[in-house]
Amino acid sequence: MPRITAERRAANRSQIVAAARRCFSRDGFHQTSMPDIAAEAGVSVGAPYRYFASKEAIILEIAGDAFRVMFDPVEHFADAAGDVTVADLVAAAIEPVSGDVAVDGSGQAVPVDELLRCAVQAWGELLRHEGLRQHAEAGFEHVRGRIADALRTGQRAGSVPAELDPDRGARIVMALLHGFVLQYTAFGLDDTAGFTRDVRIALGDAGLLRKQR
């Protein structure tokens, strides 16, 4: 029997992740079994175990994708911008999920609704799964640190208030993003452009008028 190519293996893995994401989004983590994922993917019952040790490992990957889609652009923006504002950082995270489709870590197109529904469910898992919580905490602290650094850069440029503590300010940015995800997923917030504009107004972002000119 010929060996599977790296490309085929990657495609099979992506197929299983996509199937799991559909199942989790539709039925929830705990109502979805590995056989359910295999059936959704159209593969044998044992096939998912060739790529993932457990359902929890798939949850970890999908949750990571959800937050990476939002926070990677924040990091890139923070690296590139000198006169960053708090609202700029929020907008940078929201923009990738403003449409119907986003791009996951493997470069695959992913329905935003599925991705964010899985993200919300993942927060609940943090309360009962220590391994997932530790992984999420490490990712959270990394992003929070990068946002805090960006706010310090903004303070030096005069675009972030000098009296704002950057570490606490980074938590404010994260809280706004988490709140956006929850409202988008559970409470019908679908006007992302309006939300971004109102964030700028609510935060007194002097850059709003500059960006509109």
Side-chain angles (χ1 to χ4, degrees):
M1 184 175 179
R3 292 181 59 184
I4 187 171
T5 65
E7 291 79 8
R8 183 69 257 172
R9 180 175 177 81
N12 290 347
R13 192 177 190 279
S14 294
Q15 179 181 351
I16 290 166
V17 170
R21 190 172 51 243
R22 290 193 298 272
C23 289
F24 294 154
S25 174
R26 182 177 63 239
D27 303 320
F29 291 153
H30 298 294
Q31 286 70 40
T32 299
S33 66
M34 287 293 262
D36 291 334
I37 293 170
E40 181 77 19
V43 298
S44 67
V45 173
Y49 289 103
R50 297 183 197 134
Y51 302 91
F52 297 95
S54 64
K55 184 174 73 171
E56 285 70 22
I58 305 179
I59 291 172
L60 191 65
E61 171 140 342
I62 291 173
D65 273 341
F67 294 114
R68 190 160 43 245
V69 164
M70 295 186 72
F71 291 133
D72 276 1
V74 174
E75 293 194 54
H76 296 152
F77 181 84
D79 287 339
D83 60 346
V84 64
T85 68
V86 174
D88 285 335
L89 294 168
V90 176
I94 292 174
E95 194 278 332
V97 294
S98 294
D100 295 329
V101 176
V103 178
D104 69 10
S106 66
Q108 302 296 313
V110 180
V112 165
D113 183 61
E114 286 182 8
L115 202 63
L116 297 189
R117 285 176 67 88
C118 288
V120 170
Q121 292 182 66
W123 285 328
E125 290 300 295
L126 301 185
L127 304 179
R128 61 179 295 278
H129 192 296
E130 182 61 18
L132 183 60
R133 189 196 67 77
Q134 290 179 358
H135 188 86
E137 183 177 25
F140 177 90
E141 288 301 322
H142 170 76
V143 175
R144 189 176 70 85
R146 296 296 302 280
I147 292 174
D149 289 342
L151 293 176
R152 292 185 185 94
T153 300
Q155 286 177 327
R156 290 192 290 271
S159 55
V160 172
E163 61 271 24
L164 176 68
D165 179 275
D167 291 314
R168 290 198 292 270
R171 287 190 178 276
I172 292 171
V173 173
M174 300 288 274
L176 283 169
L177 297 177
H178 291 160
F180 164 79
V181 171
L182 181 59
Q183 290 191 52
Y184 179 98
T185 303
F187 304 125
L189 171 61
D190 55 8
D191 181 8
T192 54
F195 180 85
T196 302
R197 176 182 171 81
D198 290 342
V199 164
R200 292 191 182 281
I201 295 170
L203 294 177
D205 185 359
L208 173 63
L209 296 179
R210 184 179 68 247
K211 289 177 173 60
Q212 289 179 329
R213 288 171 183 161

